[in-house]
Amino acid sequence: MIIVMHAATDQQIKQVIEELRCLGIEGHIIECFDRTIITAEGEELQQNRQHFNGLPGVESVLFITTPYKLVSRQFRAQTSVISVRNAAFGSTSIPIIAGPCAIESYEQLYETAAAVKKAGACILRAGTYKPRTSPYSFQGLEREGLGILQAVSRELDIPVVSEVTDPRLVEVFCQSVDILQIGARNMQNFALLKEVAQSNKPVLLKRGPASTIEEWLLAAEYVLAGGNSQIVLCERGIRTFEPYTRNTLDLNAMALAKELSHLPVIVDPSHGTGQWSLVGPMSKAAIAAGADGLVIEVHPCPAKALSDGPQSLTPKRFASLMDELRLLANVSNRQI
Ligand code: PEP
Ligand code: MN
């Protein structure tokens, strides 16, 4: 159960907690969406629902049937809009995030960023701590890369998102990026989720390659329950029996997550397919199916990329895809 309190005094919150305790129930206090939320489990609470509803400061007592509570649409019917400067996820606009998989040099990032911005991307993506399957693969420029990212972001006046892989790095990332990305492999790194929950930065939470939709939403619940309600979910493909594509892009999951949760859901057709020629078709499918945004990998010379070249678009291909996506968005009265 969730007890929602609005403009409640400390005394009123204390009263609810104490009354719960009298029933042998431990209440947990969370501040989110301008409300004080008390989460509590127990049959006695269900039986005394009316009583708690009438306590001073209590706005409502909700019985939420899903294991994730604050993330659920049962908790909040309207879609949450997550704003990052001029971009708004969960609105009628469709923010497009684009950039290289990894930062390789200042010149490579600047050239890509200038091109994707010109083509209409409103957020730059670029990895600097890369979670690679092999320890012998390029691991990213790490701290040096963060400096480059910050410089390019300032010079081109474009917000940036980058993956934070370690709880100890969250503080330094908060000083350098506009959105903290939690990568697919770290979706259930609970120490990392708790750390980003304590930051005031929006979080882009990718779905794990072998995670169920419920596990994904519960990972988002960690961030919300920890005090950060600025979450954008990202479907990026899951591992299936199919070896012809890197992953299987699960557009079901995008559409269903939007039904189950009030959080905006975007799609990453680059990792979802692993093949640049499929990025266009899957971008269009995602937008037609109602995605709240896209993440697309772009590299000035994909053949020479140090990571994810095969799934990266050239700036030219990205610009022509953007033209097509704009038309598609307009059909459903949305804008890119
Ligand atoms: C990435 O965005 O570069 C990345 C590593 O993505 P994922 O975590 O989805 O594999
Ligand atoms: Mn990548």
Side-chain angles (χ1 to χ4, degrees):
M1 304 273 280
I2 298 251
I3 301 173
V4 183
M5 303 187 74
H6 183 42
T9 63
D10 288 348
Q11 190 50 42
Q12 289 168 341
I13 297 168
K14 208 168 145 207
Q15 185 185 349
V16 172
I17 293 290
E18 271 167 15
E19 293 215 16
L20 284 171
R21 203 164 282 150
C22 290
L23 295 174
I25 299 170
E26 192 68 40
H28 300 276
I29 303 170
I30 300 163
E31 297 295 334
C32 86
F33 301 117
D34 300 328
R35 299 284 191 274
T36 300
I37 310 294
I38 299 174
T39 60
E41 295 296 338
E43 258 179 38
E44 292 84 351
L45 177 54
Q46 228 162 304
Q47 285 152 10
N48 290 280
R49 188 172 173 177
Q50 293 289 39
H51 168 72
F52 279 90
N53 230 333
L55 289 180
V58 173
E59 187 179 66
S60 55
V61 179
L62 304 175
F63 180 58
I64 295 177
T65 49
T66 48
Y68 43 89
K69 308 290 178 196
L70 306 174
V71 159
S72 172
R73 260 209 205 265
Q74 293 175 34
F75 171 59
R76 196 172 149 89
Q78 80 266 36
T79 299
S80 292
V81 177
I82 310 299
S83 296
V84 182
R85 289 202 229 163
N86 294 332
F89 296 93
S91 68
T92 56
S93 72
I94 306 174
I96 308 294
I97 304 172
C101 178
I103 301 168
E104 297 166 8
S105 67
Y106 172 85
E107 292 73 20
Q108 170 250 12
L109 185 65
Y110 188 94
E111 183 184 342
T112 317
V116 298
K117 184 179 173 184
K118 187 160 176 261
C122 58
I123 298 175
L124 174 66
R125 62 141 292 140
T128 182
Y129 288 81
K130 294 304 300 175
R132 305 305 300 278
T133 302
S134 164
Y136 306 117
S137 299
F138 175 59
Q139 301 287 307
L141 295 186
E142 303 188 336
R143 289 235 174 193
E144 186 197 344
L146 269 185
I148 294 173
L149 187 56
Q150 226 176 340
V152 171
S153 168
R154 277 206 200 110
E155 283 158 37
L156 291 173
D157 190 27
I158 185 168
V160 292
V161 55
S162 194
E163 178 175 351
V164 57
T165 50
D166 187 317
R168 291 166 298 186
L169 290 170
V170 170
E171 206 178 316
V172 62
F173 265 71
C174 283
Q175 289 154 19
S176 322
V177 303
D178 299 275
I179 306 176
L180 301 169
Q181 178 172 323
I182 301 293
R185 293 156 193 80
N186 270 316
M187 189 204 84
Q188 284 189 316
N189 180 338
F190 300 115
L192 185 59
L193 294 175
K194 286 177 186 170
E195 198 64 35
V196 298
Q198 282 180 28
S199 79
N200 56 7
K201 289 280 176 188
V203 174
L204 178 61
L205 179 63
K206 288 199 155 192
R207 179 184 179 194
S211 296
T212 64
I213 295 167
E214 187 166 292
E215 287 164 343
W216 184 28
L217 296 177
L218 280 166
E221 186 82 8
Y222 265 88
V223 180
L224 252 170
N228 187 346
S229 52
Q230 297 182 84
I231 307 165
V232 176
L233 298 168
C234 179
E235 159 60 33
R236 47 76 73 203
I238 50 172
R239 179 168 288 195
T240 66
F241 55 80
E242 178 53 67
Y244 271 24
T245 51
R246 181 180 180 181
N247 289 296
T248 296
L249 185 66
D250 186 3
L251 289 181
N252 288 349
M254 181 276 290
L256 185 53
K258 280 172 61 76
E259 271 183 35
L260 297 172
S261 172
H262 54 84
L263 297 172
V265 187
I266 68 171
V267 169
D268 174 348
S270 304
H271 294 87
T273 60
Q275 192 176 314
W276 73 264
S277 64
L278 301 177
V279 170
M282 291 302 100
S283 296
K284 293 176 204 166
I287 287 183
D292 292 306
L294 297 175
V295 193
I296 298 177
E297 286 189 338
V298 179
H299 193 283
C301 181
K304 291 203 179 129
L306 297 182
S307 70
D308 288 351
Q311 68 194 35
S312 298
L313 298 184
T314 58
K316 200 169 158 212
R317 286 194 172 117
F318 176 71
S320 80
L321 175 60
M322 287 293 279
D323 289 340
E324 293 185 76
L325 296 180
R326 249 179 237 112
L327 293 175
L328 188 59
N330 290 343
V331 170
S332 47
N333 283 329
R334 304 180 76 200
Q335 316 82 39
I336 285 181

